[in-house]
């Protein structure tokens, strides 16, 4: 039997394959006057580069807020006014032994709120849509920030940080998907990496603001104002999202096809009749039809735990693992405890804050390198480069930490900067990009919720044990993280496929995993091959099990679209 053609041209005798029919019918529908009017009416205010830049700015504001909230507590933990209101965080030889744990707990409890927020996105994300979920997350963060800034007891601060984390968990499990779904494949990597850089930008800002308010030693404004300033970023994010469109993939998934096409057209800066725009739109509809066909008797959440050609569980699990790996590198030793680390090296109160702020600044500058490299070098090489560098740095920190001298203390301070650089290039933005790329559209919301929940679970673990660990095994803490970074290297090499250049809308990764499944080989091998057909081609349809099927999936998609338009 010959393979069905995807050519739009009908044969002389009028025979056509199901796939050809459905594409022709979809094109006719797109060109219909009523549908044209609906598309024009749904057009967003901005188009082309302006729209892409606006989405990047708002998404970036969300990640700047994330970074600011992570970094702001670093210097406040040892601020005199903060210690006066919360004596439980004071750690020295004259204080109870459990203060190290209480200090870590008030920092780490934020991650529990983030975990709850990320998991709640399993149900909220697809129901509300990307934009409204981001707005909800921002409002919750504002409430949490107000409660933190007005805290007068340890218990109130703990509750307030949980609430703030709840909002941040919603945002961090939504913003990467929203941005990825509104970005072209060729530039998606660099655009998402910008978000990673803006996390460090937020950390940098918080460090310098903490240092500026450090001098207000006679007022609780020393710590209340730095915490409250995150409200400004949340307001900007919420206000900005009202001027942006919804994700075209989410709209198409919910049957709002005219709006989806209008937004694809606006993102590309081309008319909705442009062949490239139509191809993207049809690719989304076909991907949804294929995923819907596979899951007619199942919900997206349940489908996360399925395998077969789609390899959904494997792909979702890779997203969970990469977020876990980001945290067990030990980066939050520095992010949350930078000032304390420099003070432990014997540096005085003021200089430790200056160096911590400089560390945050260098962290931001190093993250810019990844923006340039991500789409040129690919995902796997950067992850491997970062993991190797981080392992060596942690080994050196352990060696130097075992020698108590002024020279080794200076070298250790420098190595904390070096570790930040390796992490910023290899792992900072990667773990927000990769989970969105590796999974299919139908399970993207629940899969990203699981992966982000993994981030916060292991974030909590690392931040919670850091204080007691340094109190008990001191420089041995670095040995633990050196071993964990070394473990990451072979896992990434053998199990993580390359996703660079693969289209989200055309389900290219679906083809990679299906081909690997059909041939019984590793998806890593297939992802590095140059002969993998693009989604939408006849070869790809055959790999996915679409070609020649009675009641073609594309025909299903087209019939559904026709009904909705009518």
């Amino acid at each position: 039997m010959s393979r069905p053609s995807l050519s739009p041209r009908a044969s002389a005798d009028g025979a056509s394959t199901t796939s050809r029919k459905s594409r022709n019918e979809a094109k006719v529908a797109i060109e219909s006057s009523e549908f044209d009017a609906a598309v024009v009416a749904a057009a967003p205010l901005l188009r082309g580069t302006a729209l892409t830049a606006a989405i990047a700015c708002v998404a970036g504001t969300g990640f700047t807020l994330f970074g600011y909230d992570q970094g702001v507590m670093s210097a406040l933990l040892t601020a005199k006014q903060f210690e006066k209101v919360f004596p439980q965080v004071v750690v020295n030889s004259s204080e109870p032994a459990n203060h190290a744990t209480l200090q870590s707990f008030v920092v780490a409890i934020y991650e529990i709120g983030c975990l709850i927020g990320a998991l709640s996105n399993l149900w909220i994300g697809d129901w509300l849509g990307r934009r409204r979920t981001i707005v909800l997350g921002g409002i919750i963060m504002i409430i949490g920030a107000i409660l933190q800034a007005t805290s007068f007891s340890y218990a109130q601060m703990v509750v307030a940080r949980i609430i703030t984390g709840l909002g941040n968990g919603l945002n961090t499990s939504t913003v990467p998907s929203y941005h990825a779904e509104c970005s072209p494949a060729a530039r998606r990597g660099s655009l998402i990496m910008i978000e990673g850089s803006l996390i460090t930008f937020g950390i940098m800002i918080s460090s310098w603001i903490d240092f500026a308010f450090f001098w207000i030693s006679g007022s609780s404004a020393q710590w209340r104002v730095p915490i409250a300033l995150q409200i400004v970023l949340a307001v900007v994010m919420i206000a900005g999202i009202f001027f942006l469109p919804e994700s075209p993939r989410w709209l198409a998934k919910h049957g709002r096809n005219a709006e989806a096409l209008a937004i694809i057209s606006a993102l590309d800066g081309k008319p909705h009749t442009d062949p490239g725009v139509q191809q993207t739109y049809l690719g989304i509809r076909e991907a949804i039809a294929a995923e819907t066909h596979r899951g007619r008797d199942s919900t997206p959440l349940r489908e996360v735990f399925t395998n077969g050609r789609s390899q959904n569980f494997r792909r979702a699990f890779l997203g969970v693992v990469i977020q876990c790996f980001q945290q067990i590198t030990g980066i939050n030793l520095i992010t949350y405890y930078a000032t304390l680390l420099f003070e432990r090296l014997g540096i005085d109160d003021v200089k430790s804050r200056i160096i911590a702020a400089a560390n945050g600044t260098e962290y931001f500058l190093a993250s810019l390198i990844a923006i340039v490299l991500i789409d040129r070098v690919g995902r796997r090489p950067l992850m491997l480069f970062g993991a190797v560098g981080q392992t060596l740095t942690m080994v050196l920190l352990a060696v130097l930490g075992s020698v108590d001298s002024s020279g080794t203390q200076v070298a250790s301070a420098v190595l904390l900067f070096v570790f930040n650089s390796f992490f910023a290039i290899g792992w900072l933005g990667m773990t927000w990009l990769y989970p969105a790329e590796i999974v299919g559209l139908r399970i993207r919301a629940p899969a990203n919720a699981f992966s982000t929940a993994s981030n916060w679970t292991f974030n909590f673990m690392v931040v919670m044990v850091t204080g007691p660990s340094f109190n008990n095994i001191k420089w041995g803490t670095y040995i633990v993280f050196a071993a964990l970074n070394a473990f990451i290297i072979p896992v990434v090499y053998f199990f993580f496929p390359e996703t660079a250049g693969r289209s989200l809308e055309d389900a290219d990764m679906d083809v990679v995993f299906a081909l690997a499944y059909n041939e019984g080989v590793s998806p890593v091998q297939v992802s590095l091959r140059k002969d993998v057909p693009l989604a939408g081609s006849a070869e790809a349809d055959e790999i996915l099990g679409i070609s020649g099927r009675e009641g073609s999936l594309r025909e299903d998609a087209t019939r559904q679209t026709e009904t909705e338009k009518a």
Side-chain angles (χ1 to χ4, degrees):
M1 183 185 292
S2 62
R3 180 183 296 141
S5 169
L6 291 179
S7 170
R9 214 164 106 193
S11 59
D13 60 359
S16 70
T17 65
T18 303
S19 179
R20 193 161 54 206
K21 272 187 196 172
S22 61
R23 193 174 281 274
N24 285 339
E25 289 167 0
K27 287 183 178 179
V28 169
I30 289 172
E31 293 167 358
S32 68
S33 58
E34 288 185 9
F35 189 63
D36 281 347
V39 171
V40 171
L45 295 174
L46 301 175
R47 295 184 64 81
T49 304
L51 179 57
T52 302
I55 291 171
C57 285
V58 173
T61 302
F63 272 79
T64 302
L65 173 60
F66 169 31
Y68 185 94
D69 208 40
Q70 273 197 311
V72 74
M73 291 296 288
S74 173
L76 297 185
L77 289 173
T78 55
K80 299 306 178 187
Q81 287 294 322
F82 192 81
E83 291 179 339
K84 183 178 177 181
V85 179
F86 310 107
Q88 296 91 339
V89 304
V90 180
V91 179
N92 56 48
S93 57
S94 63
E95 298 295 336
N98 70 338
H99 275 209
T101 301
L102 291 174
Q103 183 192 70
S104 292
F105 185 73
V106 77
V107 176
I109 196 64
Y110 170 74
E111 330 308 337
I112 296 299
C114 293
L115 171 62
I116 296 169
L119 289 176
S120 67
N121 213 18
L122 289 168
W123 299 275
I124 293 174
D126 266 340
W127 177 51
L128 287 181
R130 313 296 191 239
R131 290 170 69 248
R132 284 181 289 183
T133 302
I134 293 170
V135 170
L136 176 62
I139 291 171
I140 293 173
M141 286 196 77
I142 290 172
I143 295 170
I146 291 171
L147 291 175
Q148 282 189 78
T150 57
S151 290
F152 283 94
S153 71
Y154 182 86
Q156 183 182 348
M157 177 58 79
V158 166
V159 172
R161 285 186 62 75
I162 293 174
I163 293 172
T164 309
L166 180 63
N168 192 50
L170 282 171
N171 285 344
T172 53
S173 58
T174 304
V175 172
S177 292
Y178 175 67
H179 198 185
E181 290 173 352
C182 294
S183 302
R187 297 177 57 204
R188 185 173 61 246
S190 58
L191 288 171
I192 303 300
M193 281 305 205
I194 290 173
E195 290 180 0
S197 294
L198 289 171
I199 295 175
T200 61
F201 182 66
I203 293 170
M204 178 186 74
I205 291 173
S206 69
S207 299
W208 287 112
I209 288 176
D210 281 352
F211 179 64
F213 281 86
F214 168 73
W215 302 101
I216 309 176
S217 56
S219 168
S220 63
Q222 184 185 47
W223 64 270
R224 296 188 190 276
V225 175
I227 288 176
L229 284 175
Q230 65 187 282
I231 295 172
V232 176
L233 292 170
V235 169
V236 170
M237 179 185 70
I238 292 170
I241 203 73
F242 282 108
F243 295 95
L244 299 179
E246 182 55 86
S247 158
R249 291 152 187 82
W250 184 86
L251 290 169
K253 183 179 176 181
H254 288 77
R256 295 162 63 176
N257 297 305
E259 294 173 70
L261 182 56
I263 292 164
I264 295 167
S265 168
L267 288 168
D268 285 356
K270 299 173 183 176
H272 71 272
T273 54
D274 179 84
V277 172
Q278 290 187 30
Q279 181 180 2
T280 300
Y281 168 74
L282 290 169
I284 293 172
R285 295 294 300 130
E286 289 167 6
I288 293 169
E291 290 171 344
T292 301
H293 188 277
R294 287 195 296 265
R296 279 174 177 164
D297 300 320
S298 181
T299 63
L301 177 57
R302 188 176 298 175
E303 283 181 53
V304 169
F305 302 98
T306 62
N307 274 308
R309 270 197 180 100
S310 65
Q311 294 288 284
N312 282 338
F313 180 76
R314 180 175 188 154
R315 295 160 74 178
F317 188 67
L318 286 172
V320 169
V321 170
I322 196 173
Q323 288 280 21
C324 162
F325 282 177
Q326 185 193 58
Q327 295 309 310
I328 65 174
T329 60
I331 184 59
N332 282 322
L333 295 178
I334 305 170
T335 302
Y336 285 101
Y337 297 108
T339 305
L340 282 170
L341 287 177
F342 291 121
E343 288 180 356
R344 285 194 177 103
L345 293 173
I347 301 170
D348 67 54
D349 212 23
V350 175
K351 288 180 181 176
S352 65
R353 282 170 165 74
I354 294 173
I355 297 173
N359 181 270
T361 304
E362 187 275 338
Y363 191 16
F364 167 63
L365 294 175
S367 70
L368 300 176
I369 299 172
I371 298 172
V372 178
L373 295 179
I374 185 65
D375 285 319
R376 291 178 172 84
V377 175
R379 284 49 163 164
R380 282 166 48 85
L382 287 187
M383 285 191 279
L384 291 169
F385 169 78
V388 170
Q390 289 156 196
T391 301
L392 296 175
T393 306
M394 282 293 182
V395 169
L396 291 174
L397 280 167
V399 171
L400 293 173
S402 66
V403 181
D404 188 11
S405 70
S406 59
T408 57
Q409 288 170 351
V410 171
S412 294
V414 172
L415 283 172
L416 291 175
F417 282 74
V418 173
F419 183 89
N420 273 358
S421 300
F422 280 117
F423 180 85
I425 294 170
W427 286 86
L428 175 64
M430 189 72 69
T431 51
W432 303 105
L433 169 66
Y434 197 86
E437 291 185 320
I438 199 70
V439 299
L441 173 61
R442 182 170 169 82
I443 66 163
R444 190 166 295 144
N448 279 355
F450 279 126
S451 66
T452 309
S454 168
N455 178 289
W456 298 120
T457 300
F458 288 94
N459 197 330
F460 173 79
M461 181 192 74
V462 169
V463 176
M464 190 67 212
V465 304
T466 295
S469 179
F470 272 107
N471 260 14
N472 290 286
I473 62 172
K474 297 178 172 54
W475 54 267
T477 305
Y478 293 123
I479 295 178
V480 175
F481 285 105
L484 290 171
N485 277 283
F487 170 73
I488 289 171
I489 298 168
V491 176
V492 169
Y493 184 82
F494 288 110
F495 296 104
F496 280 71
E498 181 59 69
T499 59
R502 305 290 182 183
S503 171
L504 287 181
E505 59 272 3
D506 288 337
D508 284 342
M509 289 308 296
D510 286 356
V511 180
V512 169
F513 278 91
L515 183 58
Y517 177 81
N518 293 344
E519 295 181 356
V521 298
S522 167
V524 176
Q525 297 176 27
V526 176
S527 72
L528 299 174
R529 281 162 45 177
K530 302 298 182 184
D531 63 340
V532 178
L534 296 176
S537 65
E539 295 84 355
D541 287 348
E542 186 173 341
I543 291 168
L544 292 168
I546 294 176
S547 293
R549 179 182 293 166
E550 187 179 355
S552 165
L553 299 177
R554 289 184 184 173
E555 189 172 4
D556 289 348
T558 303
R559 279 200 299 267
Q560 183 182 347
T561 302
E562 292 289 347
T563 302
E564 288 157 351
K565 288 172 189 173

